[in-house]
Amino acid sequence: MMPTVRTSEEARALIAKRWAKPRPAPVDKRVRTLPAGSKLEERWLRKAEELGLVYEGMSRNAHRRLAKRLADDDTARKIKHVHEARPVPVSDDDELLLVHLEAEAARWRARVKRDHQIALAHELLADKAEQELADLMFKLGLIS
């Protein structure tokens, strides 16, 4: 609980005491697939451009997210080949593009399903609010 401060001098002393404590630096424990500015990230950014997935006016963040998804899809393709005990082929752009677009389609289908569930929940909330409004208006005699 914060002590009661009566004067501005006490407040300044309390602030100085609080800020005098050393604070540990925040630790970012996220594993970065493509660290910003790395050669690997630049490679995947170029690959996305080569495959024609980048459009004019695309923001840097959107371009980076696309490159990350492309890298993740390529990794998933390689893992699939390993699990199927097949040799991993050299990264063929056409195959990579197919794998990426299949993964994007799956992501969009999952997003549509999630958005549909959210829309249904919102519809139920709207119906409930509308019913409560009608009940209150009936109770107040505004409707009969």
Side-chain angles (χ1 to χ4, degrees), residues 70-109:
L70 196 59
D72 290 346
D73 295 339
D74 187 53
T75 303
R77 178 185 68 89
K78 290 176 182 175
I79 290 171
K80 182 180 176 187
H81 281 283
V82 169
H83 283 289
E84 292 175 354
R86 295 187 318 188
V88 179
V90 175
S91 186
D92 178 27
D93 286 351
D94 292 336
E95 183 184 355
L96 177 59
L97 187 57
L98 284 172
V99 168
H100 174 69
L101 293 176
E102 287 171 359
E104 284 293 296
R107 285 185 200 101
W108 281 108
R109 282 189 204 97

Side-chain angles (χ1 to χ4, degrees), residues 12-134:
R12 285 190 191 99
L14 186 62
I15 291 169
K17 178 181 172 186
R18 181 163 186 233
W19 284 98
K21 297 177 188 175
R23 293 174 182 254
V27 178
D28 187 4
K29 295 183 180 181
R30 293 179 291 178
V31 176
R32 306 252 182 212
T33 307
L34 296 176
S38 68
K39 290 181 181 179
L40 186 60
E41 181 193 44
E42 292 302 320
R43 176 178 164 243
W44 283 107
L45 291 173
R46 279 193 311 276
K47 180 63 84 173
E49 289 173 4
E50 290 169 10
L51 293 174
L53 298 172
V54 178
Y55 55 87
E56 189 176 334
M58 188 177 218
S59 71
R60 169 95 174 133
N61 283 344
H63 193 176
R64 290 185 68 223
R65 284 192 298 270
L66 175 64
K68 183 189 179 318
R69 288 195 311 268
L70 196 59
D72 290 346
D73 295 339
D74 187 53
T75 303
R77 178 185 68 89
K78 290 176 182 175
I79 290 171
K80 182 180 176 187
H81 281 283
V82 169
H83 283 289
E84 292 175 354
R86 295 187 318 188
V88 179
V90 175
S91 186
D92 178 27
D93 286 351
D94 292 336
E95 183 184 355
L96 177 59
L97 187 57
L98 284 172
V99 168
H100 174 69
L101 293 176
E102 287 171 359
E104 284 293 296
R107 285 185 200 101
W108 281 108
R109 282 189 204 97
R111 185 172 179 177
V112 165
K113 184 177 179 182
R114 187 195 72 219
D115 289 351
H116 182 68
Q117 290 172 342
I118 291 170
L120 289 176
H122 286 175
E123 185 68 32
L124 290 174
L125 289 172
D127 289 344
K128 181 180 174 188
E130 201 172 81
Q131 183 62 45
E132 289 174 357
L133 175 64

Side-chain angles (χ1 to χ4, degrees), residues 131-144:
Q131 183 62 45
E132 289 174 357
L133 175 64
D135 291 345
L136 180 61
M137 290 176 72
F138 183 76
K139 183 179 175 183
L140 295 174
L142 299 174
I143 58 173
S144 57

